[in-house]
Amino acid sequence: MPDSLAPETVEQLLRGRLGRPYLYEEQCGSTQDLLEPAMHEGTVAVADEQTAGRGRMGRRWQAPAGKAIHCSVLLKPPPARRAPELSLVAGIAVADTIERTIGFAAQIKWPNDVMLRRAKVAGCLAEMRDGAVILGIGINVNQTREELPPVTGSPPGSLFVATGQEWPRAALLAMFLADLERCYSEWLAGGLDSLYPYLGSRDFLRGRHVSVNGTSGTAVKIDRAGRLEIAVGHGEVRTVESGEVRYER
Ligand code: BTN
């Protein structure tokens, strides 16, 4: 029997203001489409199954019903903050939640993936709409190896595959929303710079050979503004703002 993400299970676990209100659908197209900019900041939409889940670059995001966390959070940051950084902010929160829950180190693969034992266990998607940000997070929790989607960029993983045990999604979701609220508040106050200690130390690509938008070389680091620095040879370092990364495994 899969554990439930229905309001009667999750709402009693919520500690902060994210998830109030908490919108839940057993099945929907994409949780990203359940939120509207006119709703209250902090509204969260969750579904046990998405029939048209989407990722970055027009990719699909798929998971069998009741095995993963699909959630979208409505945020309204001030214009002074760079909203695309919220993918990294969400990545830090997911990594915090995973590490505290399962006790393994998680890394962040720029710009929006969370990695566990070299496999992608979560992805974050920041979509801007009328000045608001709909921040979508997918976390692979209890999928078996066979239930994971085919490899696109990174090999896919789940908490179950990494640990050999199932994890309660409702408790994970509530912990994640509390971690996201804390990270979001820090980001509002001080930008990505104030979260940098939790980002730079988890940089999955650092030292790997990468290729992004035609720039190839060795990833130096995610910088304090959330960009990727790539050493392209002869002492030259280029900085990439966004893009799709290919990397050597
Ligand atoms: C990526 O890795 O490309 C981002 C994946 C984001 C997936 C989540 S699942 C919840 C929300 N609803 C969607 O359709 N997408 C995001």
Side-chain angles (χ1 to χ4, degrees):
M1 183 71 184
D3 62 336
S4 170
L5 294 180
E8 47 284 16
T9 312
V10 174
E11 278 175 346
Q12 58 185 326
L13 301 172
L14 297 176
R15 294 289 168 264
R17 70 187 178 102
L18 296 189
R20 302 176 200 278
Y22 180 84
L23 313 179
Y24 169 77
E25 302 270 339
E26 217 170 281
Q27 187 192 71
C28 71
S30 162
T31 55
Q32 295 292 93
D33 298 331
L34 300 178
L35 296 178
E36 301 286 343
M39 293 173 173
H40 282 289
E41 182 173 39
T43 304
V44 166
V46 167
D48 265 308
E49 184 180 13
Q50 297 185 117
T51 54
R54 57 181 181 263
R56 289 174 75 242
M57 311 281 172
R59 281 195 297 256
R60 296 191 66 193
W61 185 264
Q62 294 167 285
K67 295 286 187 118
I69 291 174
H70 313 113
C71 93
S72 299
V73 183
L74 181 66
L75 297 172
K76 300 185 179 183
R81 289 277 163 254
R82 286 195 298 263
E85 293 176 0
L86 284 169
S87 287
L88 288 168
V89 174
I92 295 167
V94 174
D96 283 350
T97 302
I98 289 177
E99 289 182 357
R100 217 158 346 100
T101 304
I102 73 170
F104 295 171
Q107 285 82 41
I108 294 169
K109 180 181 148 272
W110 183 90
N112 74 318
D113 297 345
V114 180
M115 311 291 285
L116 194 60
R117 298 191 154 179
R118 298 193 197 178
K120 172 170 172 170
V121 292
C124 310
L125 176 72
E127 292 182 333
M128 322 300 155
R129 224 176 283 164
D130 295 338
V133 180
I134 299 178
L135 186 59
I137 301 99
I139 309 176
N140 295 334
V141 183
N142 291 323
Q143 293 103 311
T144 62
R145 206 176 286 283
E146 296 70 37
E147 289 171 329
L148 290 167
V151 175
T152 45
S154 306
S158 70
L159 304 197
F160 176 80
V161 169
T163 62
Q165 73 181 83
E166 292 199 355
W167 295 91
R169 290 179 309 144
L172 267 168
L173 173 60
M175 195 188 290
F176 164 67
L177 290 174
D179 283 331
L180 180 62
E181 185 166 342
R182 179 178 42 78
C183 293
Y184 181 59
S185 300
E186 280 187 43
W187 178 78
L188 283 177
L192 201 59
D193 199 49
S194 63
L195 288 167
Y196 196 73
Y198 316 103
L199 177 63
S201 59
R202 287 179 167 136
D203 188 345
F204 176 81
L205 293 175
R206 186 185 293 233
R208 286 190 152 86
H209 190 269
V210 296
S211 177
V212 189
N213 304 342
T215 301
S216 297
T218 303
V220 179
K221 63 174 193 284
I222 303 171
D223 73 9
R224 298 185 87 88
R227 302 167 303 194
L228 185 67
E229 288 182 5
I230 303 173
V232 293
H234 310 290
E236 190 191 342
V237 174
R238 288 197 200 144
T239 302
V240 186
E241 295 271 348
S242 65
E244 184 65 1
V245 185
R246 291 169 189 276
Y247 65 97
E248 254 169 34
R249 295 203 187 131

